Amino acid sequence: MNNQFNDLEKILITKDEIEKRIAEIAKQINDDYKDSDSLVMVCILRGSCYFFTDLTRLIDKPCYLEFMSVSSYKGTVSSGEVSITRDISMPVAGKDLIVVEDIIDTGTTLSYLKKILAQRNPKSLKICSLLDKPSRRKVEIEGDYIGFEIPDKFVVGFGLDYNQLYRNLPDISILKEEIYTKNA
Ligand code: IMP
Ligand code: MG
């Protein structure tokens, strides 16, 4: 039987650490948006699926849950080109938007998304990302809520994938280099 744990170098962030940090971010969002009556949380599929579901259940007010898909990534190297493959289903003019992503790497995806969503005239637009790899940045962009800064290592688990696999691992782990170099 293929055991996906064998493909991991080591655990970087445990599920308990993730859970604790998500609660802290939710508290911050609850404080920051206590006067908002039009909060829209946008899940960027598929990497932020678990982050999004855990986070939004801790938001203490009514909010819209929207889903969006973008494609930009093949294997471990970003193609640099981004396109929307599934859009959100509601107009967001005048609303408070929080885009929920799994990771900011080069910044290409989020700077594109931010530009597209800003054109729809939301009242506000913030970025919430579980992970951030600041050392890899090519496009200038900063998250407003960040779970963890991580080193320049390819990580999987808790929603993050390599070639669409490993998303269902409970922790965030560094993938063994041999896994992606053998397929390169
Ligand atoms: P960016 O456009 O380079 O910032 O890339 C963002 C996207 O790249 C994320 O939404 C992830 O899908 C993917 N990505 C970047 N680094 C990793 C990683 O270490 N593991 C898994 N996916 C990653
Ligand atoms: Mg992704």
Side-chain angles (χ1 to χ4, degrees), residues 26-35 60:
K27 187 176 178 311
Q28 228 182 318
I29 292 175
N30 286 334
D31 286 349
D32 293 351
Y33 290 84
K34 61 178 179 302
D35 298 323
D60 62 7

Side-chain angles (χ1 to χ4, degrees), residues 18-31 39 41 51-61 63 65:
I18 300 169
E19 193 185 343
K20 195 164 153 253
R21 186 71 187 114
I22 292 177
E24 289 169 357
I25 296 173
K27 187 176 178 311
Q28 228 182 318
I29 292 175
N30 286 334
D31 286 349
L39 184 57
M41 308 283 291
F51 179 41
F52 186 78
T53 51
D54 285 358
L55 179 69
T56 51
R57 278 177 297 167
L58 297 173
I59 300 301
D60 62 7
K61 60 166 52 205
C63 63
L65 306 184

Side-chain angles (χ1 to χ4, degrees), residues 83-94:
S83 61
I84 295 179
T85 52
R86 180 209 153 100
D87 205 343
I88 53 175
S89 62
M90 65 188 286
V92 292

Side-chain angles (χ1 to χ4, degrees), residues 20-160:
K20 195 164 153 253
R21 186 71 187 114
I22 292 177
E24 289 169 357
I25 296 173
K27 187 176 178 311
Q28 228 182 318
I29 292 175
N30 286 334
D31 286 349
D32 293 351
Y33 290 84
K34 61 178 179 302
D35 298 323
S36 165
D37 54 11
S38 62
L39 184 57
V40 184
M41 308 283 291
V42 182
C43 175
I44 307 304
L45 294 168
R46 282 164 270 188
S48 73
C49 60
Y50 299 121
F51 179 41
F52 186 78
T53 51
D54 285 358
L55 179 69
T56 51
R57 278 177 297 167
L58 297 173
I59 300 301
D60 62 7
K61 60 166 52 205
C63 63
Y64 297 95
L65 306 184
E66 285 287 333
F67 297 86
M68 199 164 181
S69 299
V70 293
S71 75
S72 73
Y73 231 73
K74 287 211 177 78
T76 62
V77 186
S78 176
S79 67
E81 281 169 38
V82 189
S83 61
I84 295 179
T85 52
R86 180 209 153 100
D87 205 343
I88 53 175
S89 62
M90 65 188 286
V92 292
K95 299 208 159 39
D96 290 310
L97 247 60
I98 302 181
V99 174
V100 182
E101 243 299 30
D102 53 355
I103 185 165
I104 313 178
D105 186 33
T106 63
T108 314
T109 309
L110 273 173
S111 68
Y112 171 81
L113 272 175
K114 223 179 156 175
K115 193 180 79 190
I116 294 286
L117 291 170
Q119 286 167 355
R120 300 179 188 180
N121 299 315
K123 183 169 159 208
S124 68
L125 172 51
K126 284 196 183 175
I127 302 291
C128 175
S129 182
L130 179 60
L131 303 176
D132 187 9
K133 276 187 202 169
S135 63
R136 294 253 311 159
R137 208 67 99 248
K138 285 190 188 142
V139 183
E140 211 179 301
I141 185 152
E142 262 184 54
D144 300 285
Y145 305 98
I146 296 292
F148 303 90
E149 275 194 13
I150 63 165
D152 182 8
K153 299 280 180 194
F154 198 82
V155 294
V156 293
F158 202 77
L160 289 110

